[in-house]
Amino acid sequence: MAMAIGRRGFIGAATAASVLPRSAAAAPTGRPFLWGVATAAHQIEGNNVNSDYWLLESLPDSGFAEPSGDACDSWERWREDVALVAAMGLNAYRFSIEWARIEPEPGRFSRSVLDYYRGLCAACREAGIAPVVTFHHFTSPRWIAALGGWEDARVVDRFVRYCATAASALGDLVEYACTFNEPNAQVTSYVVAGGRQDPRETRIRAEAARALGSDRFCAFFQGDAFRVRDNILAAHPRAVAAIKAAIPKARVGMTLALQQLSAAPGGEGLLRRVRAEGRVPFFAAADNDDFVGVQSYNRDVFGPAGYLPTPADAERDASGQDASPGVLGAVVRDVHGACHAPIFVTENGINTRDDTQRIRHLRTSIAGLDAAIRDGVPVLGYLHWSLLDNFEWSSGYTPRFGLVAVDRYTFRRTPKPSAAAYRDLVRAHRG
Ligand code: FCB
């Protein structure tokens, strides 16, 4: 999770892959069920020097454990990444295209960067992998942040123009597209914090503005959460239309941060507010989309003043949060009751250094998803976060979400046993 916000965002025995039910073999679209992995440009490409996050990471006291630097060097090693996805027998790869590279200065689009992403999409398709392209995954060009970022209404036109240009360059190589990644996370954190802004934010934004010679700076998770939400919700349908105008067959939606939420006595009001501000408007915006992207990791329980501590008997991830594998099944059922769009699980996984925990978590999460599908929840696919151990925003390189380990110095990729377990599980589902 991004910026100074930490992620607040075991049931049963491990299920044997060979007995998993097969109901997830075909999606409600009639297209094959999508089995894949997800990544994001800034977290894997490296040297995303024109982005707002690159600048923030370099500021003293900005809350980042370390800067992204070379990340996983996927900018150079993307062919290896596609080969890893193919080796797992997957048919979908979600990655993001980087606005800061595509439009490094206002209105100046880089043909070579757009060609680069075309090459990535083409390589996926040659390997039988559907590219699932995210147009905005937290990072923006520095010039957008210096203009006032997502707090300033002018960003809407700029974003739509970028989406139109990128979509027409990628063209029919793209089958699935996500406009925004987790645009509901900021307003959710804001409501949980009781409407208080992190006091460090003003200082960090002023420093970043100074570094750019601007009088303002606003990155994705900064600024007035409600103004940011308004601008994103104004941009989303226009971005969907722009992408579809360029790629009529594309299926387009946005992805949302959707943890499993409940309230302990006294926490009901907060739960209601979080749903009302951080979910309802986004579900309404997604209602007519081709899918709603569900991204679930944790189980959060509200008390009167915020999140309650993780219960002693909970399954924990490496950061100590409740990471029960029951989360995914519960959340997709909940979303199905609240939004009409078909569900696409665009992220789910666990931060752990114990790969046996990851395997257990993966199998049980998918068994829960499968049970929901058998009960009638329409699901297009499941994308595991993540392909690689990568740059986890403000937490740096300490968290481990990958099915594949990456050497920090040589960038050598080494699949973990969980990569083979995922391959076997997908094979068993396909029958
Ligand atoms: C999600 C983000 C993704 C990654 C995972 C662990 O909130 O979309 O970039 O950080 O969490």
Side-chain angles (χ1 to χ4, degrees), residues 4 33 38 40 43 45 51 82 85 96 102 133 157-158 193 195 257 260 298 327 370 404 412 415:
F33 190 83
Q43 294 179 267
E45 285 180 351
S51 76
V82 174
V85 180
S96 66
I102 292 172
V133 178
D157 284 347
R158 310 295 193 281
Q260 185 185 353
N298 299 117
V327 163
D370 202 79
V404 175
R412 196 171 156 206

Side-chain angles (χ1 to χ4, degrees), residues 1 7 43 137 181-182 295 297 347 385 392-393 401:
M1 187 60 127
R7 166 167 298 296
Q43 294 179 267
H137 195 122
N181 182 70
E182 300 192 342
Q295 312 203 149
Y297 293 88
E347 287 185 23
W385 184 274
E392 179 51 30
W393 308 108
F401 281 95

Side-chain angles (χ1 to χ4, degrees), residues 11 15-17 20-25 33-36 90 324-329 332-333 345 348-349 358-374 379 381-385 403 418 421-429:
I11 47 172
T15 320
L20 281 170
R22 295 194 177 159
S23 61
F33 190 83
L34 295 168
W35 290 106
L90 304 176
S324 160
V327 163
L328 183 62
V332 296
R333 287 170 195 270
V345 180
N348 171 249
R358 189 183 330 281
I359 293 172
R360 230 171 37 232
H361 186 273
L362 180 62
R363 288 180 178 157
T364 314
S365 298
I366 289 175
L369 178 66
D370 202 79
I373 293 170
R374 274 185 277 121
V379 181
Y382 172 88
L383 308 179
H384 190 77
W385 184 274
L403 297 165
S418 53
Y422 189 29
R423 178 199 62 207
D424 293 347
L425 189 151
V426 169
R427 199 179 281 159
H429 267 267

Side-chain angles (χ1 to χ4, degrees), residues 46-405:
N47 300 301
N48 186 16
V49 298
N50 265 317
S51 76
D52 48 5
Y53 270 61
W54 182 269
L55 172 62
L56 285 172
E57 290 157 21
S58 70
L59 298 176
D61 304 328
S62 67
F64 281 82
E66 54 194 316
S68 54
D70 289 319
C72 302
D73 195 29
S74 287
W75 183 255
E76 298 294 337
R77 292 166 202 263
W78 59 271
R79 286 184 188 80
E80 287 178 50
D81 296 345
V82 174
L84 287 164
V85 180
M88 280 187 269
L90 304 176
N91 62 354
Y93 179 33
R94 174 175 176 233
F95 53 86
S96 66
I97 55 173
E98 187 57 59
W99 187 5
R101 294 189 196 270
I102 292 172
E103 192 182 2
E105 299 291 339
R108 285 164 62 181
F109 290 91
S110 165
R111 297 320 302 181
S112 86
V113 170
L114 288 166
D115 277 354
Y116 169 93
Y117 286 123
R118 261 191 82 78
L120 174 53
C121 292
C124 287
R125 291 179 68 101
E126 271 156 36
I129 297 165
V132 180
V133 178
T134 308
F135 281 64
H136 191 277
H137 195 122
F138 297 163
T139 44
S140 302
R142 287 175 177 210
W143 63 267
I144 282 286
L147 198 73
W150 290 91
E151 207 179 31
D152 188 307
R154 288 175 297 175
V155 74
V156 175
D157 284 347
R158 310 295 193 281
F159 181 67
V160 174
R161 178 179 64 178
Y162 148 71
C163 288
T165 308
S168 55
L170 300 178
D172 57 5
L173 294 174
V174 174
E175 287 172 55
Y176 296 88
C178 310
T179 55
F180 290 100
N181 182 70
E182 300 192 342
N184 64 326
Q186 183 191 9
V187 74
T188 300
S189 306
Y190 180 77
V191 171
V192 175
R196 282 178 301 276
Q197 206 85 36
D198 182 344
R200 283 181 313 171
E201 194 185 296
T202 315
R203 183 176 44 74
I204 293 165
R205 288 176 64 187
E207 268 178 62
R210 241 189 330 273
L212 290 183
S214 169
D215 62 347
R216 66 193 71 183
F217 183 95
C218 188
F220 198 56
F221 285 98
Q222 296 179 331
D224 180 306
F226 290 105
R227 263 163 56 198
V228 168
R229 184 181 68 183
D230 289 348
N231 288 328
I232 288 168
L233 291 178
H236 172 70
R238 291 184 52 200
V240 171
I243 294 168
K244 287 194 171 211
I247 318 169
K249 65 155 197 206
R251 295 182 170 261
V252 191
M254 68 177 146
T255 78
L256 299 175
L258 298 167
Q259 313 311 332
Q260 185 185 353
L261 306 179
S262 62
E268 299 85 353
L270 185 53
L271 175 61
R272 240 189 334 271
R273 283 196 296 285
V274 164
R275 283 188 181 277
E277 304 294 355
R279 296 205 170 179
V280 172
F282 293 90
F283 287 151
D287 224 34
N288 294 315
D289 285 347
D290 297 319
F291 62 84
V292 55
V294 169
Q295 312 203 149
S296 306
Y297 293 88
N298 299 117
R299 183 179 268 168
D300 292 329
V301 182
F302 291 113
Y307 296 113
L308 294 182
T310 305
D313 60 349
E315 164 101 7
R316 286 161 190 264
D317 63 14
S319 73
Q321 282 191 258
D322 184 334
S324 160
V327 163
L328 183 62
V331 170
V332 296
R333 287 170 195 270
D334 188 46
V335 173
H336 180 50
C339 182
H340 289 107
I343 286 164
F344 191 176
V345 180
T346 41
E347 287 185 23
N348 171 249
I350 185 168
N351 165 18
T352 181
R353 284 172 185 250
D354 172 2
D355 202 48
T356 61
Q357 185 189 18
R358 189 183 330 281
I359 293 172
R360 230 171 37 232
H361 186 273
L362 180 62
R363 288 180 178 157
T364 314
S365 298
I366 289 175
L369 178 66
D370 202 79
I373 293 170
R374 274 185 277 121
D375 287 344
V377 178
V379 181
L380 303 187
Y382 172 88
L383 308 179
H384 190 77
W385 184 274
S386 183
L387 174 64
L388 305 173
D389 285 337
N390 59 37
F391 178 71
E392 179 51 30
W393 308 108
S394 59
S395 308
Y397 289 97
T398 303
R400 296 281 194 276
F401 281 95
L403 297 165
V404 175

